[in-house]
Amino acid sequence: MSGAGGPERYDPGDIPEYGHGGHRGEGSGDGSGDGSGDGRDGPGNPSGTPSEPAGPPRIPTPRNAAEDTSGWPGLLPLLPEPEPPESPESPEEPEGRELPEEAESPEEPHSPENPAGTSAVPRQTDTHRPPSHDVLRSLLGAWALTACSPDETAAVEAHLNHCTSCAEEALRLREAVGLLHAEHNLDLDPLLRSRVLAGCLGRRPARIPVPGWAAAYDAEAARLDALLRDMGEAEWRAPVRLTWYDGRRLTGRDTTVAGVIGHLMVVDGVVAASLGLPDPLGDHAPGSPAARTEAYWHAEPDAAGGTGPSTLLRELWREQGHALVRTVSFAGRGASDLSVPFGDFTLPVRDAFLDRAFECWVHAGDIAEAVDYPYELPGSAHLKAMIDLCVRLLPEALAQRRRAGLAAPPRRLVEAGAPGRTLHLEVEGTGGGNWYIPLDSPAAVGTAEEAVAHIALDPETFYQLAAGHVPPQEAAVGQLGDVEAIRDVLFATASLSRL
């Protein structure tokens, strides 16, 4: 298109595909066109390119976001700088005359995917390339909240095995998440049963109601039975450590979940025998709870070791509990004053039921700890009744320890029924209250005016102390006043525990 006299004016007829006048013709080109245009209508059609796309126009699919894929796109290489075209030696062009654009050499065949005729740069991606350290570290917060996708979770956890700093940060975040919401069990509210029964009985009172002093035992036995219902054979054989305070030190006994239920059943048998029901150990059974338990474990080693039929054991214990509640319900008011001998001490039936309710709560906690399951406190009304029983037993427990030389002697004796030195016991929270314990004599009366010391603790701490699970000197309690009186009461509370 250029000669010795300079470049010639652009003529569309120079392209074989076009006829004269620049209109598209019928002829076929030989692929040697120069692809130049006139500078007004855009670039010319490169030679060798079809006049129309070979198919429907290609619409690229949307790219996935980097965080939605396990692979990460690589970087595109920089495009090389275009080299300036070599201009032939020729005389200078007159001013105002436009030079035609140089034709691009078709280095690659054109296709519908590259309609502009530019050199396509291959996209370099590596689908197996792991995320960078910074990206993975930014995902630790979402990982701690379990908000990552499965691919992200796998990538983060694989990274934590090799990166100490990220592993420490992940541990701190997980602990922080645990503080946001405490774990709760999947059981129903322990008060739901009582509320449903109260609602039903409010509409239609029971013809034969359960005595109020037996309601706590009925509720705690039902809660323990619910814990046992879903246990498998392996959990029935789970080891359980029973601990109590023998007056001088903590002691314990190793058994299984099945052994604990057998222990509850034979001690409940003392109450059953007092009500005229069959004793699970027979007519000549020992009287004390510890002796009865050892006799049962010796006679039934399979049950104590958790290798016996656990379902049958649970049914026997539960049926005995139902029989106790039915019997006192039908007996009426006269049954509450019957005496129940527990070996070294005797309780009226109404207090014996509270004692058995407290034992159900204590040993349900032992079982729940053995199988790693949370267990809630009893309902507030039942909890307060059980704490009240323990407080009423404390003056006599103090007197027994004083006779054994384990407590300080009385400082001021008074007449029976008269106010004497007092300790103020405060159990905080729902189900708690304030009690005033006479210190020098069980016959004295405790009053707020005569208080010489004050102890404050929560229901869980009181439970641990009265169950013999913690040494008295290590119990987390608030103390104020006479240190000797506080020490004597704490040790007397722990001495209420037994096997």
Side-chain angles (χ1 to χ4, degrees), residues 380-434:
S380 59
H382 299 160
L383 177 60
K384 189 167 187 175
M386 289 184 277
I387 294 176
D388 182 74
L389 172 65
C390 294
V391 171
R392 287 189 282 114
L393 296 177
L394 278 178
E396 182 61 34
L398 274 171
Q400 291 180 0
R401 288 183 58 81
R402 189 174 291 121
R403 288 193 291 266
L406 300 176
R411 300 224 184 138
R412 179 163 57 92
L413 293 175
V414 296
E415 295 180 358
R421 287 197 319 134
T422 303
L423 181 137
H424 176 198
L425 174 64
E426 179 183 0
V427 180
E428 302 168 337
T430 304
N434 295 275

Side-chain angles (χ1 to χ4, degrees), residues 238-243 250-256 260 366 369-370 469:
V240 180
R241 177 72 175 173
L242 300 181
T243 59
L250 287 181
T251 186
R253 182 75 153 76
D254 292 322
T255 182
T256 62
V260 174
D366 295 333
E369 182 179 0
H469 287 178

Side-chain angles (χ1 to χ4, degrees), residues 150 172 242 302 372 374 489:
R172 287 192 294 269
L242 300 181
D302 291 342
D372 194 20
V489 170

Side-chain angles (χ1 to χ4, degrees), residues 71-82:
W72 296 80
L75 297 176
L76 292 176
L78 296 176
L79 295 177
E81 293 292 337

Side-chain angles (χ1 to χ4, degrees), residues 84-111:
E86 296 182 0
S87 58
E89 297 181 359
S90 58
E92 295 183 359
E93 289 291 328
E95 294 182 4
R97 185 170 183 178
E98 297 180 357
L99 292 176
E101 297 180 359
E102 291 291 330
E104 296 180 0
S105 175
E107 298 179 358
E108 295 181 4
H110 302 300
S111 64

Side-chain angles (χ1 to χ4, degrees), residues 100-396:
E101 297 180 359
E102 291 291 330
E104 296 180 0
S105 175
E107 298 179 358
E108 295 181 4
H110 302 300
S111 64
E113 297 182 358
N114 188 19
T118 60
S119 176
V121 179
R123 182 182 181 84
Q124 298 180 0
T125 60
D126 184 4
T127 59
H128 300 289
R129 182 178 176 182
S132 66
H133 175 274
D134 292 338
V135 172
L136 290 172
R137 192 174 184 87
S138 68
L139 291 174
L140 291 180
W143 174 83
L145 293 168
T146 63
C148 288
S149 67
D151 290 342
E152 291 170 344
T153 301
V156 169
E157 292 177 353
H159 177 68
L160 295 181
N161 294 329
H162 307 288
C163 182
T164 304
S165 63
C166 286
E168 294 175 351
E169 179 68 14
L171 181 60
R172 287 192 294 269
L173 290 173
R174 270 289 166 90
E175 292 175 350
V177 170
L179 296 176
L180 295 177
H181 52 84
E183 294 183 359
H184 297 285
N185 60 30
L186 301 179
D187 291 338
L188 297 176
D189 184 352
L191 299 180
L192 178 61
R193 180 176 182 271
S194 300
R195 289 199 296 265
V196 171
L197 290 176
C200 294
L201 296 176
R203 292 177 175 271
R204 178 184 292 180
R207 185 169 60 89
I208 303 175
V210 175
W213 43 264
Y217 171 76
D218 188 29
E220 291 307 304
R223 287 212 304 153
L224 176 54
D225 183 58
L227 175 64
L228 301 173
R229 184 178 296 118
D230 297 329
M231 283 190 179
E233 290 298 329
E235 292 172 311
W236 278 88
R237 295 191 294 271
V240 180
R241 177 72 175 173
L242 300 181
T243 59
W244 65 95
Y245 189 74
D246 65 358
R248 297 179 183 271
R249 67 187 65 85
L250 287 181
T251 186
R253 182 75 153 76
D254 292 322
T255 182
T256 62
V257 172
V260 174
I261 300 304
H263 160 66
L264 288 174
M265 181 179 68
V266 296
V267 179
D268 285 351
V270 177
V271 184
S274 300
L275 294 174
L277 298 173
D279 189 327
L281 292 182
D283 297 334
H284 303 287
S288 69
R292 292 175 66 88
T293 301
E294 294 292 348
Y296 172 76
W297 286 345
H298 179 73
E300 300 288 344
D302 291 342
T307 58
S310 56
T311 304
L312 177 60
L313 177 62
R314 170 178 161 258
E315 290 176 354
L316 291 174
W317 166 74
R318 195 70 182 103
E319 179 54 37
Q320 179 180 253
H322 286 312
L324 290 174
V325 175
R326 283 196 303 267
T327 300
V328 296
S329 299
F330 280 96
R333 297 179 180 178
S336 63
D337 295 328
L338 294 175
S339 296
V340 180
F342 286 99
D344 298 338
F345 63 97
T346 301
L347 292 176
V349 166
R350 60 180 179 274
D351 288 343
F353 268 79
L354 287 174
D355 175 81
R356 302 316 303 149
F358 184 79
E359 286 292 307
C360 274
W361 173 28
V362 169
H363 291 315
D366 295 333
I367 293 173
E369 182 179 0
V371 298
D372 194 20
Y373 195 84
Y375 202 75
E376 301 292 339
L377 294 173
S380 59
H382 299 160
L383 177 60
K384 189 167 187 175
M386 289 184 277
I387 294 176
D388 182 74
L389 172 65
C390 294
V391 171
R392 287 189 282 114
L393 296 177
L394 278 178
E396 182 61 34

